[in-house]
Amino acid sequence: MFVCVAIALVLLAAVAQCGPTPPPLGSRAELENFRAAVEELKAERRAMMLRLEKAEKELNAVRDTPKVAFAASLGGNGAQKTTSGNRDLIYRDVLTNVGGAYNADTGEFTAPIRGVYYVRFTANAPTDFPMSAVMYKNGGEIELIAHEQPSGEGSDTASNGAALLLEKGDKLKMVLWHNTQIWDNSNHHSTFSGFLLFPLIDEAPKEFDVELEMKSLQASMAKLRVENTELKERMESTETELKKMRSAPKVAFAASLGGNGLQKNTSGMKKLLFKEVLTNVGEAYNSETGEFTAPVRGVYYVRFTANAPTDFPMSAVLYKNGAQIKLIAHEQTSGEGSDTASNGAALLLEQGDKLSLYLWHNTQIWDNSNHHSTFSGFLLFTQ
């Protein structure tokens, strides 16, 4: 019995030792989990970052790209002619050499970086003998040719040019072919020029390091979480403000005294009731009481106009909450005819504040169906 128990314990220990081991820290599976989490975080802010990333990438490319441009002329004072094989053309009269990629001693342009370059040349010569100008790359490969056969008296000009993909160190050189000629003088008839359009730089592949990549992703996750929190706060604040603005009531009113004639007061003050309502969006004006009641705290623009004959003083006085004078329109007697006076202002009103117009003691006001005397206002913004 004892032997059986011992054997069983040994077998259990062996099974435990041979069981599955947990994946080591920094495994590929853990790395993929980190990558998935980072991609989820990036997705939340990708729409906001796309334009910035594009602009920064283009800006860095422009900053890092070398400035390369050259132009040179054969110069001299007459024809260069060969009847015994090809001859290298040396453009010694340098007009431009930004970046120093052109060598006036050898006539060669050497590409400083891999990229697309625009290269062009022009050849001039008398028409009594064939003319040529041939561009070679790295001394062996023909890239472009300008060639003219004899055509009688006078001179010919021929040009050629192209956008060429050059590797770093590629050399371009012009050659005069056997039994041809080319001509130039100080006026630069025969030229060779070019410039870098844009670079094409391929980075060497980097050796993959799981642990280093994981640390980088963890740092990116922490940064993204902070940035996402800030963006979320800005978004919520903006949405709250927008909701507040959208929920602001629409308030606008306009009313006229109407009637058919004069209102005159010789015994104390009299409230003016503007009964003919022209506009009352938000229903904040009461034509029965002549009062406008501010539905929310905010800045309102309020205006009124009074008309009356000039044989007696005229008035219209705006009161807030029945006691505080805010605005006055007043005219003294001035003879025959009629007067019109107006006043208006942007007023900060608390919710529930009431505005009404009064006719002062010993003054008059006049209106009819043409709305000469009016009272109006509207909400500019909540505060």
Side-chain angles (χ1 to χ4, degrees):
M1 181 68 176
F2 177 77
V3 173
C4 292
V5 171
I7 292 172
L9 290 172
V10 170
L11 289 173
L12 286 172
V15 170
Q17 289 178 355
C18 297
T21 57
L25 184 65
S27 67
R28 287 276 183 170
E30 188 178 0
L31 176 62
E32 291 304 320
N33 290 337
F34 272 114
R35 281 180 172 160
V38 169
E39 288 304 316
E40 184 178 352
L41 287 168
K42 286 181 178 178
E44 295 178 11
R45 59 194 285 268
R46 188 172 290 119
M48 293 176 284
M49 296 298 293
L50 279 176
R51 288 174 62 186
L52 176 60
E53 289 174 355
K54 181 180 178 182
E56 287 180 341
K57 184 177 179 181
E58 291 180 3
L59 180 60
N60 289 334
V62 171
R63 284 173 175 167
D64 296 339
T65 301
K67 304 296 188 294
V68 181
F70 79 97
S73 138
L74 277 176
N77 189 23
Q80 295 190 39
K81 191 172 185 179
T82 178
T83 56
S84 56
N86 296 345
R87 177 197 298 176
D88 290 345
L89 293 172
I90 312 296
Y91 293 75
R92 297 190 183 278
D93 200 343
V94 177
L95 310 177
T96 304
N97 196 15
V98 176
Y102 176 70
N103 187 329
D105 294 324
T106 64
E108 288 180 331
F109 168 76
T110 304
I113 61 170
R114 184 175 190 266
V116 175
Y117 296 78
Y118 183 76
V119 186
R120 185 173 183 84
F121 56 90
T122 298
N124 179 275
T127 57
D128 60 355
F129 197 75
M131 174 182 70
S132 77
V134 186
M135 184 166 65
Y136 282 79
K137 184 172 81 172
N138 299 328
E141 185 179 353
I142 296 174
E143 294 293 306
L144 297 168
I145 297 173
H147 186 270
E148 290 285 342
Q149 293 292 345
S151 59
E153 296 182 358
S155 64
D156 271 332
T157 298
S159 296
N160 209 339
L164 302 177
L165 172 58
L166 301 179
E167 300 296 331
K168 181 179 180 180
D170 277 350
K171 296 180 182 295
L172 299 179
K173 191 169 191 176
M174 300 300 302
V175 175
L176 182 65
W177 267 358
H178 173 67
N179 273 336
T180 61
Q181 65 178 353
I182 192 169
W183 184 90
D184 197 12
N185 63 10
S186 59
N187 290 328
H188 316 306
H189 294 266
S190 295
T191 57
F192 178 30
S193 63
F195 47 86
L196 173 65
L197 288 175
F198 49 84
L200 291 172
I201 300 174
D202 294 327
E203 295 184 0
K206 297 179 181 178
E207 185 177 349
F208 186 75
D209 186 328
V210 174
E211 186 176 353
L212 184 62
E213 182 73 6
M214 188 177 297
K215 288 180 179 179
S216 175
L217 290 171
Q218 287 174 324
S220 295
M221 286 176 63
K223 182 180 178 182
L224 287 169
R225 285 193 178 105
V226 172
E227 292 176 350
N228 283 358
T229 300
E230 294 173 351
L231 287 171
K232 184 179 179 182
E233 290 173 356
R234 284 176 57 190
M235 180 185 68
E236 290 176 348
S237 175
T238 301
E239 288 177 344
T240 300
E241 186 69 19
L242 184 60
K243 184 178 179 180
K244 182 180 177 182
M245 292 176 66
R246 285 173 174 168
S247 64
K250 303 294 189 294
V251 181
F253 80 96
S256 151
L257 275 177
N260 190 22
L262 198 66
Q263 293 192 42
K264 194 171 186 177
N265 187 34
T266 57
S267 57
M269 294 171 54
K270 176 183 179 182
K271 182 187 279 190
L272 293 171
L273 304 183
F274 292 76
K275 298 236 177 228
E276 284 202 31
V277 178
L278 310 177
T279 304
N280 196 14
V281 176
E283 302 296 328
Y285 176 71
N286 187 333
S287 60
E288 298 299 320
T289 64
E291 289 179 333
F292 168 74
T293 304
V296 293
R297 186 177 190 270
V299 175
Y300 297 77
Y301 184 75
V302 184
R303 184 172 182 84
F304 56 92
T305 298
N307 179 276
T310 57
D311 60 355
F312 198 74
M314 174 183 71
S315 77
V317 187
L318 181 70
Y319 279 79
K320 185 175 81 171
N321 299 328
Q324 185 179 5
I325 296 173
K326 302 303 292 185
L327 298 168
I328 297 173
H330 186 269
E331 290 284 341
Q332 293 293 344
T333 306
S334 60
E336 297 181 359
S338 66
D339 271 332
T340 298
S342 296
N343 210 339
L347 302 176
L348 174 59
L349 302 179
E350 301 295 332
Q351 183 179 9
D353 278 349
K354 296 181 183 296
L355 299 179
S356 54
L357 282 162
Y358 282 81
L359 184 64
W360 267 358
H361 174 67
N362 276 336
T363 61
Q364 63 182 357
I365 194 170
W366 182 88
D367 197 14
N368 64 10
S369 59
N370 291 328
H371 315 305
H372 293 264
S373 296
T374 58
F375 178 28
S376 63
F378 46 85
L379 174 63
L380 290 174
F381 49 84
T382 58
Q383 185 73 10

Short mmCIF file of all heavy atoms in Angstrom, two decimals, residues 243-279:
data_model
loop_
_atom_site.label_atom_id
_atom_site.label_comp_id
_atom_site.label_asym_id
_atom_site.label_seq_id
_atom_site.Cartn_x
_atom_site.Cartn_y
_atom_site.Cartn_z
N LYS A 243 -25.20 73.53 -26.32
CA LYS A 243 -26.55 73.19 -25.88
C LYS A 243 -27.22 74.37 -25.22
O LYS A 243 -28.40 74.65 -25.42
CB LYS A 243 -26.48 72.00 -24.93
CG LYS A 243 -27.84 71.49 -24.49
CD LYS A 243 -27.70 70.27 -23.58
CE LYS A 243 -29.07 69.78 -23.13
NZ LYS A 243 -28.93 68.59 -22.23
N LYS A 244 -26.42 75.10 -24.42
CA LYS A 244 -26.95 76.29 -23.74
C LYS A 244 -27.39 77.34 -24.74
O LYS A 244 -28.46 77.95 -24.62
CB LYS A 244 -25.89 76.85 -22.80
CG LYS A 244 -26.34 78.06 -22.01
CD LYS A 244 -25.21 78.55 -21.11
CE LYS A 244 -25.61 79.81 -20.35
NZ LYS A 244 -24.50 80.32 -19.50
N MET A 245 -26.55 77.54 -25.77
CA MET A 245 -26.88 78.52 -26.80
C MET A 245 -28.11 78.09 -27.60
O MET A 245 -28.98 78.90 -27.92
CB MET A 245 -25.69 78.72 -27.74
CG MET A 245 -24.49 79.38 -27.09
SD MET A 245 -23.07 79.48 -28.20
CE MET A 245 -23.70 80.61 -29.44
N ARG A 246 -28.17 76.77 -27.91
CA ARG A 246 -29.32 76.28 -28.68
C ARG A 246 -30.62 76.37 -27.89
O ARG A 246 -31.69 76.53 -28.47
CB ARG A 246 -29.08 74.83 -29.09
CG ARG A 246 -28.07 74.67 -30.22
CD ARG A 246 -27.77 73.21 -30.46
NE ARG A 246 -26.91 73.01 -31.63
CZ ARG A 246 -26.31 71.87 -31.92
NH1 ARG A 246 -26.45 70.83 -31.11
NH2 ARG A 246 -25.57 71.77 -33.01
N SER A 247 -30.53 76.25 -26.55
CA SER A 247 -31.73 76.26 -25.72
C SER A 247 -32.20 77.66 -25.38
O SER A 247 -33.26 77.82 -24.76
CB SER A 247 -31.47 75.47 -24.44
OG SER A 247 -30.46 76.10 -23.66
N ALA A 248 -31.43 78.69 -25.74
CA ALA A 248 -31.85 80.07 -25.47
C ALA A 248 -33.15 80.36 -26.21
O ALA A 248 -33.28 80.04 -27.39
CB ALA A 248 -30.76 81.05 -25.90
N PRO A 249 -34.14 80.97 -25.53
CA PRO A 249 -35.42 81.22 -26.19
C PRO A 249 -35.29 82.28 -27.29
O PRO A 249 -34.41 83.12 -27.26
CB PRO A 249 -36.30 81.73 -25.04
CG PRO A 249 -35.32 82.33 -24.06
CD PRO A 249 -34.10 81.48 -24.16
N LYS A 250 -36.20 82.18 -28.25
CA LYS A 250 -36.29 83.19 -29.30
C LYS A 250 -37.30 84.24 -28.82
O LYS A 250 -38.47 83.92 -28.57
CB LYS A 250 -36.75 82.58 -30.61
CG LYS A 250 -35.87 81.43 -31.11
CD LYS A 250 -34.50 81.94 -31.50
CE LYS A 250 -33.69 80.87 -32.20
NZ LYS A 250 -33.37 79.73 -31.33
N VAL A 251 -36.83 85.49 -28.65
CA VAL A 251 -37.68 86.54 -28.10
C VAL A 251 -37.59 87.78 -28.99
O VAL A 251 -36.49 88.31 -29.22
CB VAL A 251 -37.26 86.92 -26.66
CG1 VAL A 251 -38.18 88.01 -26.10
CG2 VAL A 251 -37.25 85.70 -25.77
N ALA A 252 -38.72 88.25 -29.50
CA ALA A 252 -38.77 89.49 -30.29
C ALA A 252 -40.21 89.99 -30.30
O ALA A 252 -41.15 89.20 -30.50
CB ALA A 252 -38.29 89.24 -31.71
N PHE A 253 -40.36 91.28 -30.06
CA PHE A 253 -41.71 91.84 -30.09
C PHE A 253 -41.69 93.24 -30.70
O PHE A 253 -40.67 93.93 -30.70
CB PHE A 253 -42.31 91.88 -28.68
CG PHE A 253 -41.84 93.06 -27.86
CD1 PHE A 253 -42.57 94.23 -27.77
CD2 PHE A 253 -40.63 93.00 -27.18
CE1 PHE A 253 -42.12 95.31 -27.02
CE2 PHE A 253 -40.17 94.07 -26.43
CZ PHE A 253 -40.91 95.23 -26.35
N ALA A 254 -42.83 93.64 -31.22
CA ALA A 254 -43.02 95.00 -31.73
C ALA A 254 -44.51 95.29 -31.66
O ALA A 254 -45.34 94.45 -32.04
CB ALA A 254 -42.51 95.12 -33.17
N ALA A 255 -44.84 96.48 -31.16
CA ALA A 255 -46.25 96.86 -31.02
C ALA A 255 -46.40 98.36 -31.24
O ALA A 255 -45.45 99.14 -31.06
CB ALA A 255 -46.76 96.47 -29.64
N SER A 256 -47.59 98.73 -31.64
CA SER A 256 -47.89 100.14 -31.90
C SER A 256 -49.03 100.58 -30.99
O SER A 256 -49.89 99.77 -30.61
CB SER A 256 -48.29 100.27 -33.38
OG SER A 256 -49.17 101.34 -33.59
N LEU A 257 -49.03 101.91 -30.63
CA LEU A 257 -50.14 102.44 -29.83
C LEU A 257 -51.46 102.29 -30.58
O LEU A 257 -52.50 102.00 -29.99
CB LEU A 257 -49.92 103.92 -29.52
CG LEU A 257 -49.07 104.28 -28.30
CD1 LEU A 257 -48.92 105.78 -28.21
CD2 LEU A 257 -49.69 103.71 -27.02
N GLY A 258 -51.39 102.47 -31.91
CA GLY A 258 -52.60 102.34 -32.73
C GLY A 258 -53.62 103.42 -32.38
O GLY A 258 -53.29 104.56 -32.07
N GLY A 259 -54.89 103.03 -32.42
CA GLY A 259 -55.95 104.00 -32.15
C GLY A 259 -56.11 104.96 -33.31
O GLY A 259 -55.68 104.70 -34.43
N ASN A 260 -56.68 106.07 -33.02
CA ASN A 260 -56.91 107.05 -34.09
C ASN A 260 -56.86 108.46 -33.53
O ASN A 260 -57.85 109.19 -33.54
CB ASN A 260 -58.26 106.78 -34.78
CG ASN A 260 -58.42 107.62 -36.04
OD1 ASN A 260 -57.44 108.08 -36.61
ND2 ASN A 260 -59.65 107.84 -36.45
N GLY A 261 -55.70 108.82 -33.00
CA GLY A 261 -55.59 110.18 -32.54
C GLY A 261 -54.70 110.34 -31.35
O GLY A 261 -53.79 109.56 -31.11
N LEU A 262 -54.99 111.33 -30.56
CA LEU A 262 -54.10 111.83 -29.52
C LEU A 262 -54.40 111.20 -28.17
O LEU A 262 -55.55 110.96 -27.83
CB LEU A 262 -54.28 113.35 -29.43
CG LEU A 262 -53.20 114.16 -28.72
CD1 LEU A 262 -51.90 114.09 -29.51
CD2 LEU A 262 -53.66 115.61 -28.61
N GLN A 263 -53.32 110.90 -27.44
CA GLN A 263 -53.43 110.56 -26.01
C GLN A 263 -52.71 111.68 -25.26
O GLN A 263 -51.54 111.93 -25.51
CB GLN A 263 -52.78 109.21 -25.71
CG GLN A 263 -53.49 108.02 -26.33
CD GLN A 263 -52.99 106.71 -25.77
OE1 GLN A 263 -52.79 106.60 -24.55
NE2 GLN A 263 -52.84 105.72 -26.65
N LYS A 264 -53.45 112.36 -24.35
CA LYS A 264 -52.91 113.53 -23.66
C LYS A 264 -53.14 113.36 -22.16
O LYS A 264 -54.19 112.87 -21.75
CB LYS A 264 -53.60 114.79 -24.18
CG LYS A 264 -52.94 116.09 -23.81
CD LYS A 264 -53.60 117.23 -24.59
CE LYS A 264 -52.89 118.55 -24.36
NZ LYS A 264 -53.51 119.65 -25.18
N ASN A 265 -52.14 113.76 -21.38
CA ASN A 265 -52.25 113.57 -19.93
C ASN A 265 -51.92 114.87 -19.22
O ASN A 265 -50.83 115.42 -19.36
CB ASN A 265 -51.29 112.47 -19.49
CG ASN A 265 -51.46 112.11 -18.04
OD1 ASN A 265 -52.57 112.16 -17.53
ND2 ASN A 265 -50.37 111.77 -17.38
N THR A 266 -52.90 115.38 -18.42
CA THR A 266 -52.68 116.62 -17.65
C THR A 266 -52.84 116.38 -16.16
O THR A 266 -52.87 117.34 -15.37
CB THR A 266 -53.67 117.70 -18.11
OG1 THR A 266 -55.00 117.20 -17.97
CG2 THR A 266 -53.40 118.09 -19.56
N SER A 267 -52.94 115.10 -15.74
CA SER A 267 -53.11 114.81 -14.30
C SER A 267 -52.29 113.58 -13.95
O SER A 267 -52.79 112.46 -13.96
CB SER A 267 -54.59 114.59 -13.97
OG SER A 267 -55.12 113.56 -14.77
N GLY A 268 -51.00 113.77 -13.68
CA GLY A 268 -50.13 112.67 -13.28
C GLY A 268 -49.64 111.87 -14.48
O GLY A 268 -49.78 112.27 -15.64
N MET A 269 -49.06 110.68 -14.20
CA MET A 269 -48.50 109.81 -15.23
C MET A 269 -49.55 108.83 -15.72
O MET A 269 -50.49 108.49 -15.01
CB MET A 269 -47.29 109.04 -14.70
CG MET A 269 -46.10 109.93 -14.37
SD MET A 269 -44.81 109.00 -13.51
CE MET A 269 -44.55 107.66 -14.64
N LYS A 270 -49.33 108.33 -16.97
CA LYS A 270 -50.28 107.40 -17.56
C LYS A 270 -49.49 106.30 -18.28
O LYS A 270 -48.60 106.58 -19.08
CB LYS A 270 -51.18 108.13 -18.54
CG LYS A 270 -52.15 107.25 -19.29
CD LYS A 270 -52.95 108.08 -20.30
CE LYS A 270 -53.91 107.20 -21.08
NZ LYS A 270 -54.65 107.99 -22.10
N LYS A 271 -49.81 105.03 -17.97
CA LYS A 271 -49.14 103.93 -18.68
C LYS A 271 -49.67 103.86 -20.11
O LYS A 271 -50.87 103.96 -20.36
CB LYS A 271 -49.38 102.60 -17.98
CG LYS A 271 -48.67 101.43 -18.67
CD LYS A 271 -49.04 100.08 -18.07
CE LYS A 271 -48.24 99.80 -16.82
NZ LYS A 271 -48.42 98.39 -16.37
N LEU A 272 -48.76 103.66 -21.04
CA LEU A 272 -49.11 103.55 -22.45
C LEU A 272 -49.30 102.08 -22.80
O LEU A 272 -48.44 101.25 -22.53
CB LEU A 272 -48.02 104.16 -23.34
CG LEU A 272 -47.85 105.68 -23.20
CD1 LEU A 272 -46.59 106.14 -23.94
CD2 LEU A 272 -49.07 106.40 -23.74
N LEU A 273 -50.44 101.76 -23.39
CA LEU A 273 -50.76 100.39 -23.79
C LEU A 273 -50.63 100.28 -25.31
O LEU A 273 -51.46 100.84 -26.05
CB LEU A 273 -52.17 100.01 -23.34
CG LEU A 273 -52.44 100.15 -21.84
CD1 LEU A 273 -53.85 99.67 -21.51
CD2 LEU A 273 -51.42 99.35 -21.02
N PHE A 274 -49.59 99.61 -25.74
CA PHE A 274 -49.36 99.41 -27.18
C PHE A 274 -50.15 98.16 -27.60
O PHE A 274 -49.68 97.03 -27.50
CB PHE A 274 -47.86 99.26 -27.46
CG PHE A 274 -47.09 100.52 -27.23
CD1 PHE A 274 -46.78 100.95 -25.93
CD2 PHE A 274 -46.68 101.31 -28.29
CE1 PHE A 274 -46.07 102.12 -25.72
CE2 PHE A 274 -45.97 102.48 -28.09
CZ PHE A 274 -45.67 102.90 -26.79
N LYS A 275 -51.37 98.38 -28.09
CA LYS A 275 -52.32 97.30 -28.30
C LYS A 275 -52.17 96.60 -29.65
O LYS A 275 -52.54 95.45 -29.80
CB LYS A 275 -53.75 97.85 -28.17
CG LYS A 275 -54.05 98.41 -26.78
CD LYS A 275 -55.24 97.72 -26.22
CE LYS A 275 -55.56 98.20 -24.80
NZ LYS A 275 -55.76 97.05 -23.93
N GLU A 276 -51.68 97.33 -30.64
CA GLU A 276 -51.56 96.73 -31.98
C GLU A 276 -50.23 95.95 -32.07
O GLU A 276 -49.18 96.53 -32.30
CB GLU A 276 -51.63 97.80 -33.07
CG GLU A 276 -53.03 98.30 -33.29
CD GLU A 276 -53.19 98.93 -34.67
OE1 GLU A 276 -52.50 98.50 -35.62
OE2 GLU A 276 -53.97 99.87 -34.78
N VAL A 277 -50.31 94.65 -31.87
CA VAL A 277 -49.11 93.81 -31.85
C VAL A 277 -48.70 93.45 -33.28
O VAL A 277 -49.50 92.88 -34.04
CB VAL A 277 -49.35 92.54 -31.02
CG1 VAL A 277 -48.11 91.63 -31.06
CG2 VAL A 277 -49.71 92.91 -29.59
N LEU A 278 -47.49 93.80 -33.64
CA LEU A 278 -46.95 93.47 -34.96
C LEU A 278 -46.17 92.15 -34.92
O LEU A 278 -46.22 91.34 -35.84
CB LEU A 278 -46.03 94.60 -35.45
CG LEU A 278 -46.62 96.02 -35.37
CD1 LEU A 278 -45.59 97.03 -35.82
CD2 LEU A 278 -47.86 96.11 -36.23
N THR A 279 -45.42 91.95 -33.84
CA THR A 279 -44.61 90.74 -33.67
C THR A 279 -44.59 90.40 -32.18
O THR A 279 -44.49 91.30 -31.34
CB THR A 279 -43.15 90.96 -34.15
OG1 THR A 279 -43.16 91.40 -35.49
CG2 THR A 279 -42.32 89.69 -34.03
#
